Amino acid sequence: TIQTELEHQKYKCSRCGRSFNALDVARILDPVSGRLKCDREFGRNRFCGGDVVEEDTVGELARTRALQTRLESELRPLLELLHACDDVKVPAHPLEGADDEVWGKFVPETVDSTGADLHAP
């Protein structure tokens, strides 16, 4: 379950040794540096600020990296196909560029392929 997975993700401050779990990450993430910083308060407005690093709990880190590698390898063909679609030009309208014969099959005979009114004087 997700709760079990979250319980196995442990983090520890390299300065004071305080432990954190995966749910704490959003709170201790420093948006400026993008690093995890300890928020342990030592006194009035004094915080540890040490770097928080992931603990390797019984090979969890190695297993997570292996899972990430497997996921990336399985997604690679899909990503390559998506990348191949980058240069495909999708018309603004399904009849864009169609000649009068094709246009006439789908549009009443009140306008031509340019949109001009056929019954205009």
Side-chain angles (χ1 to χ4, degrees), residues 51-80:
D51 286 335
V52 175
V53 294
E54 187 172 5
E55 289 182 325
D56 185 10
T57 55
V58 192
E60 287 293 323
L61 186 58
R63 194 172 78 184
T64 301
R65 286 187 178 143
L67 183 60
Q68 180 181 3
T69 302
R70 181 176 155 215
L71 178 65
E72 288 172 355
S73 68
E74 289 181 8
L75 287 177
R76 188 172 294 118
L78 179 61
L79 294 173
E80 289 172 358

Side-chain angles (χ1 to χ4, degrees), residues 15-37:
R15 185 180 290 169
C16 71
R18 181 177 179 190
S19 294
F20 299 91
N21 64 32
L23 297 176
D24 296 320
V25 170
R27 187 184 77 243
I28 63 174
L29 178 65
D30 178 18
V32 176
S33 67
R35 301 178 77 170
L36 301 177
K37 297 289 186 176

Side-chain angles (χ1 to χ4, degrees), residues 100-101 103-112 116-120:
D100 286 340
E101 181 181 339
W103 189 264
K105 291 179 182 177
F106 299 100
V107 179
E109 294 183 17
T110 57
V111 294
D112 64 12
D117 189 351
L118 294 175
H119 301 294

Side-chain angles (χ1 to χ4, degrees), residues 33-52:
S33 67
R35 301 178 77 170
L36 301 177
K37 297 289 186 176
C38 180
D39 64 351
R40 184 179 200 173
E41 191 171 355
F42 287 116
R44 190 171 164 166
N45 295 325
R46 289 184 47 226
F47 296 92
C48 172
D51 286 335
V52 175

